[in-house]
């Protein structure tokens, strides 16, 4: 171009500068490796127990990713799982055993060595066992190793053992196991491949989250309808096709209205009911008699049904093949007794107008037309286009079937329905709804995950008696079959410190962890010597009545002695509970130890396979920080057992039987050939499920990605309760003691036995003060009643017009997640969320500070408007609020200054003060019964939540930003 000057050509692709120098090409690693080596193990950041690949560089964690080969998550990993790096490197990790030297709660400890710590603990525990084993209360939190801890308690001989489920999921477990022989939660799943209509009831995002996410993706891709029933729309509800914002505690009423509509329209699966349930079993009608409400049986104990006129109109064994039994009507037996089929009682009850949509709509907060439409949609999905799989199978009675036919309707439920004082019957109501639709373990419906289904109820009863060697005759937790199985004394009073398995809470299959501290403080029913707890934050977010619980932990008697004499606490982190212990045993992180995710405990199976898994040390605890000396609590427990000389933990010469927990996992046998892990048993690892111990078993798991999977045979994958192939397979693997079919229970004779006892029948009867309670709530058919807090507070609806619930965030899990430096960046404090219309009714603006009051207490929090909540409900994220000074967080961290707990508002006893704030059948903690009133705070100048407690003392937190990974970038 005119006026332009040419430039000298550059040598190479880059232009040179004026001096002719060519810049060097930047060094870019286009295929970076996540680390030097990778190890596979099992995540511990929630209850999902996903498979993970942990990448290491220079002996430190570089990256955590999902394991694509793992059956649980198939490579998917959530924020929690990825943030396991910061969980392992948490500043809150405990480093040495601690012995209290000051007053409880002041955090005054001295570090001691393990020999001293174990000698102290063994001395305390040994004296207890020699004197009275029940003086030890051993309660564990979310430890995922109950197959060991329950066995240890049994060998110690104490009835006072319980686990996390009593304040978490026992309603779900018991409601299912006494109805279906299985359960929602982590023991059953929707048929993700074939379901066309899914109802999620009270499902938050914290349990089993990655499998649910994978399943929901499949349903959405197929165009299936998803309905979320929940007062709060978050997570899964946000992607649902329809959200039903129900009032808390009314799910059972909603289910009964759906049942009412199905019965009225005759849209039920009678063929399924007669084949697989007790719908046709005859129930004796003898009001006031000792046999009233029990099943009519023949001389061999078999339940009877009434055969129709074509077979002569007579009572025959209900399990006979080829019958066409009556399901309605009253019949006279040969001995003159009268009886009606179970289904007759079902129809009689739920066709009552009190369960019609118009009758329940206002109470549930759901329009009657919506209820009727949902019932029609369920029926259409179930019956108008059933799923047919061309898979031949044979039922338990020898009948051959050319195909598997199923109802493509699935229900899934979690804590939102179970954490109420009416939760047990609500869970049963959902199972009744499923059964009427023929939607249990058929193609397209709810499916069992092995080792379920179990006999109804499961055969293992709670231990009650001590043997000659001091051990209990059975594990402390189990399933009550009748009043004779209760753990009570000769006067019918509770023998357990938490009152589980008593007349007050007979079917408390997981124990009642939320009652132990009050009762131990009160000496009810007796004084204990030592409270030993593992990973149970019972002075904060796992405590109802938090302020008073702190007081019980520190209270002294007239002699100046603590009312709870000794507290041993084990945890990996300095939680709020640590300050209240007399002896602290520091646990490892989940990446430093062996764990067994056992089929004897909380398995990771899916509907098509039995699965178990391990964790193994991907890092050496001794090399993680100078001076840090920690041990896995499971190994510590076995060490203590050997020092005390507990049965099964020592050889004849008194030496320890097991080197550590890893050795126990491999060599311990619960029964001949049955151990904690099912895979690679036998001398050469050639056996599965049953077989002698294999010394190389753990290495085989490590080589296989940390898990074992045994596929259910194709012909055995549905109708597991009555499928000959499945029952034989399950018996062979030890899941079932026999291969008899499992009859699903619409009507529970177990519950009726308790009702009869309350009415004065039988050898075991409740004390007078419990009779009305047992007679009311032990109804053999599901019932609904107003949750206790709303029913017992005078003028409760006017004084406390709002329900208050918590949701578990997808990005955190329990208390230990919100110490995590990465997860805290998502949320470092919580708000009380309320609908804008609710705010307008109460004169509250967005982000106002407000006072929230219950019948029990008052808190101050910051409100935030959210349209994803039912207008008569307020909610918050659970367990984010922290006590200042805990978890090695800065004393001015937002979690402590602005974060809060609803727990301060929740009483541990009912408003009347006569029972625990719990379900009367199972003892499940009724967290979600909470009723509150709100108003704008008159003085919120300090802009912090209340109550505020004195900060827990301890080493000051490092106020520098917590960074991780810089060294890896520098290395590259």
């Amino acid at each position: 171009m005119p006026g332009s000057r040419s430039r000298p050509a550059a040598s190479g692709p880059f232009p040179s500068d004026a001096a002719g120098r060519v810049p060097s090409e930047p060094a870019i690693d286009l295929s970076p490796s996540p680390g030097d080596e990778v190890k596979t193990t099992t995540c511990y950041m929630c209850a999902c127990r996903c498979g993970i690949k942990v990448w290491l560089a220079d002996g430190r964690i570089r990256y955590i990713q999902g394991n694509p080969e793992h059956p649980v998550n198939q490579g998917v990993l959530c924020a929690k799982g990825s943030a396991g790096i910061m969980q392992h490197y948490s500043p809150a990790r405990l480093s040495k055993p601690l012995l209290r030297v000051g007053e409880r709660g002041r955090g005054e400890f001295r570090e001691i060595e393990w020999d001293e710590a174990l000698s102290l603990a063994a001395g305390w525990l040994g004296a207890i066992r020699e004197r009275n084993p029940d003086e030890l209360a051993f309660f564990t939190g979310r430890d995922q190793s109950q197959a060991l801890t329950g066995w240890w308690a049994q060998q110690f001989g104490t009835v006072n053992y319980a686990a996390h489920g009593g304040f978490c999921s026992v309603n779900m477990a018991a409601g299912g196991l006494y109805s279906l022989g299985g359960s929602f939660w982590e023991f059953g799943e929707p048929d993700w491949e074939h379901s066309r209509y899914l109802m999620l009831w009270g499902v938050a995002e914290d349990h089993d989250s990655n499998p649910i996410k994978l399943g929901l993706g499949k349903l959405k891709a197929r165009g299936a309808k998803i309905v979320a029933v929940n007062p709060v729309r978050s997570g899964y509800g946000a992607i649902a096709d329809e959200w039903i914002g129900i009032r808390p505690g009314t799910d059972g009423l909603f289910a009964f209205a759906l049942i009412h509509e199905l019965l009225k329209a005759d849209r039920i699966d009678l063929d399924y009911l007669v084949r697989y349930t007790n719908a046709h079993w005859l129930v004796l009608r003898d009001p006031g008699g000792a046999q009233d409400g029990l099943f009519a049986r023949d001389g061999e104990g078999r339940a009877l049904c009434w055969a129709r006129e074509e077979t002569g109109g007579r009572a025959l064994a209900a399990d006979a093949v080829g019958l066409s039994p009556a399901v309605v009507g009253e019949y006279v037996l040969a001995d003159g007794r009268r009886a009606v089929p179970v289904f007759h009682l079902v129809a009689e009850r739920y066709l009552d107008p009190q369960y019609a949509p118009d009758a329940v709509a206002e109470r549930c907060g759901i329009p009657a037309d919506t209820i009727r439409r949902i019932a029609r949609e369920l029926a259409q999905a179930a019956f108008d286009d059933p799923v047919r799989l061309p898979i031949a199978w044979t039922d338990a009675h020898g009948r051959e079937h050319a195909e598997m036919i199923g109802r493509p309707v699935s229900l899934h439920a979690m804590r939102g329905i179970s954490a109420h004082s009416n939760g047990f019957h609500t869970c049963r109501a959902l199972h009744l709804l499923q059964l009427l639709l023929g939607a249990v373990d058929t193609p397209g419906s709810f499916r069992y995950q092995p080792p379920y289904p179990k006999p109804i109820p499961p055969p293992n009863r709670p231990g009650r008696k001590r043997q000659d060697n001091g051990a209990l005759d059975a594990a402390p937790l189990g399933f009550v079959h009748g009043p004779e199985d209760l753990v009570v004394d000769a006067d019918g009073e509770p023998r357990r410190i938490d009152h589980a398995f008593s007349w007050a809470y007979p079917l408390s299959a997981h124990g009642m962890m939320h009652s132990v501290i009050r009762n131990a403080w009160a000496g009810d029913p007796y004084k204990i010597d030592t409270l030993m707890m593992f990973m149970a934050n019972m002075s904060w977010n796992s405590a109802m009545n938090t302020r008073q619980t702190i007081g019980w932990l520190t209270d002294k008697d007239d002699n100046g002695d603590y009312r709870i004499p000794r507290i041993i606490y084990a945890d990996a982190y300095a939680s709020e509970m640590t300050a209240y212990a007399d002896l602290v045993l520091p646990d490892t992180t989940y990446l430093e130890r062996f764990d067994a995710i056992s089929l004897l405990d909380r398995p990771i199976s899916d509907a098509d396979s039995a699965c178990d898994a391990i964790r193994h040390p991907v890092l050496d605890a001794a090399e993680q920080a100078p001076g840090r000396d920690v041990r896995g609590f499971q190994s510590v427990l076995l060490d203590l057992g050997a020092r005390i000389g507990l049965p099964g933990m020592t050889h004849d010469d008194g030496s320890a039987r097991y080197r550590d927990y890893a050795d126990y996992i491999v060599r311990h046998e619960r029964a001949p050939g049955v151990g904690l892990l099912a895979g690679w048993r036998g001398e050469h690892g050639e056996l599965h499920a049953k077989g002698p111990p294999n010394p190389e078993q753990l290495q085989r798991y490590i080589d296989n990605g940390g898990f074992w999977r045994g596929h259910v045979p194709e012909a055995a994958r549905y109708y597991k309760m009555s499928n000959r192939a499945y029952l034989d397979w399950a018996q062979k693997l030890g899941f079932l003691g026999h291969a008899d079919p499992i009859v699903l229970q619409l009507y529970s004779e177990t519950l009726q036995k308790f009702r009869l006892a309350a009415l004065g029948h039988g050898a075991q009867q409740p004390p007078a003060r419990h009779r009305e309670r047992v007679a009311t709530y032990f109804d053999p058919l599901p019932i609904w009643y107003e949750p206790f807090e709303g029913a017992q507070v005078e003028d409760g609806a006017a004084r406390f017009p709002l329900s208050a619930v918590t949701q578990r965030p997808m990005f955190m899990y329990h208390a230990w997640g919100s110490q995590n430096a990465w997860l805290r960046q998502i949320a470092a404090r919580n708000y009380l969320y309320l609908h804008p219309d609710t705010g307008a009714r109460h004169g509250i603006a967005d982000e106002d500070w407000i006072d929230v009051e219950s019948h029990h207490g008052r808190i101050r929090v910051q409100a935030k408007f959210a349209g994803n909540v039912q207008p008569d409900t307020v909610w918050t994220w659970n367990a984010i609020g922290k006590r200042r000074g805990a978890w090695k967080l800065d004393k001015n961290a937002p979690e402590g200054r602005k974060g809060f707990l609803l727990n301060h508002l929740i009483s541990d006893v009912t408003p009347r003060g006569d029972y625990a704030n719990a379900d009367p059948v199972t003892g499940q903690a009724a967290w979600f019964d909470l009723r509150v009133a709100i108003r704008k705070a008159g003085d919120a100048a300090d802009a912090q939540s209340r109550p505020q407690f004195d900060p827990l003392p301890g080493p000051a937190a490092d106020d520098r930003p917590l960074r991780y990974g810089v060294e890896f970038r520098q290395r590259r």
Side-chain angles (χ1 to χ4, degrees), residues 62-276:
R62 178 69 179 87
Y63 180 56
I64 296 178
Q65 68 180 143
N67 179 4
E69 307 301 321
H70 200 276
V72 169
N73 57 315
Q74 302 167 44
V76 174
L77 200 62
C78 67
K80 299 188 297 292
S82 299
I85 296 175
M86 301 313 294
Q87 204 76 1
H88 172 74
Y89 291 115
S90 168
R93 288 184 304 181
L94 296 170
S95 297
K96 296 271 288 187
L98 302 173
L99 181 66
R100 179 177 59 80
V101 295
E103 296 293 309
R104 277 190 197 156
R106 293 184 181 175
E108 297 172 355
F109 295 95
R110 69 175 174 90
E111 292 186 348
I112 60 176
E113 301 303 320
W114 274 102
D115 282 346
E116 182 179 358
L118 293 170
S119 294
L120 271 173
W124 296 348
L125 297 176
I128 292 170
R129 191 171 195 273
E130 187 173 334
R131 186 172 61 244
N132 176 8
D134 292 341
E135 290 183 17
L136 170 66
F138 179 28
F139 284 59
T140 73
R142 202 64 158 99
D143 61 284
Q144 300 181 10
S145 58
Q146 292 165 34
L148 167 69
T149 55
W151 176 79
W152 191 95
Q154 178 184 352
Q155 304 310 104
F156 189 89
T158 180
V159 297
N160 292 318
Y161 166 82
H164 176 88
F167 60 60
C168 181
S169 62
V170 70
N171 270 343
M172 199 69 69
L177 288 167
Y178 281 88
S179 301
L180 307 181
S183 173
F184 297 123
W185 216 265
E186 296 144 14
F187 308 113
E189 64 181 87
D191 188 343
W192 302 113
E193 301 297 333
H194 303 105
S195 187
R196 302 191 191 108
Y197 199 102
L198 170 66
M199 292 190 76
L200 297 171
W201 297 70
V203 178
E205 290 73 55
D206 58 325
H207 280 69
D208 213 25
S209 59
N210 285 331
I212 290 178
K213 285 184 285 189
L214 288 165
L216 291 175
K218 293 178 180 178
L219 294 184
K220 297 290 282 187
R222 288 206 320 275
K225 181 168 183 177
I226 301 170
V227 178
V229 182
N230 200 315
V232 179
R233 186 174 196 174
S234 65
Y236 308 141
I239 66 165
D241 299 283
E242 183 171 0
W243 170 50
I244 295 179
I246 195 169
R247 287 196 176 101
T250 66
D251 303 77
L253 267 185
F254 179 31
F256 290 155
L258 296 174
I259 290 169
H260 177 93
E261 289 294 289
L262 292 171
L263 289 169
K264 193 170 70 170
D266 197 22
R267 296 281 267 172
I268 53 176
D269 193 338
L270 273 177
D271 182 65
Y272 179 96
L273 291 172
V274 169
R275 284 180 182 269
Y276 307 117

Side-chain angles (χ1 to χ4, degrees), residues 606-728:
D606 56 61
D608 291 331
S609 58
C611 307
D612 61 14
I614 67 165
R615 295 185 187 93
H616 66 99
V618 300
L619 295 164
D620 186 343
E623 299 175 357
Q624 296 307 295
R628 181 166 175 259
D629 187 9
V630 299
R631 299 184 184 180
F633 179 68
Q634 294 92 335
S635 293
V636 170
L637 204 58
L638 290 165
D639 188 328
L640 287 172
R643 289 171 185 249
I644 301 168
L646 296 185
M649 298 184 210
T650 60
H651 294 294
D652 292 340
D653 63 2
S655 61
R657 181 178 296 272
Y658 301 108
R659 181 181 65 254
D660 53 21
Y661 187 43
D663 190 36
Y664 173 89
I665 291 172
V666 171
R667 294 199 297 112
H668 174 74
E669 292 181 275
R670 192 59 50 90
V674 177
L676 264 68
L677 295 175
W680 298 287
R681 303 191 67 82
E683 182 181 358
H684 304 292
E686 73 279 9
L687 302 175
H688 296 290
K690 282 186 176 180
N694 169 18
E696 299 299 318
Q697 185 182 40
L698 290 177
Q699 188 59 50
R700 296 294 294 271
Y701 271 83
I702 293 170
D703 294 343
N704 195 58
F707 67 92
W708 168 82
R709 187 178 197 180
H711 291 281
V712 178
E714 184 182 42
R717 292 183 179 176
Y718 293 95
Y719 306 99
K720 294 185 181 76
M721 62 283 188
S722 191
N723 184 318
R724 174 53 52 211
Y726 178 80
L727 295 168
D728 289 344

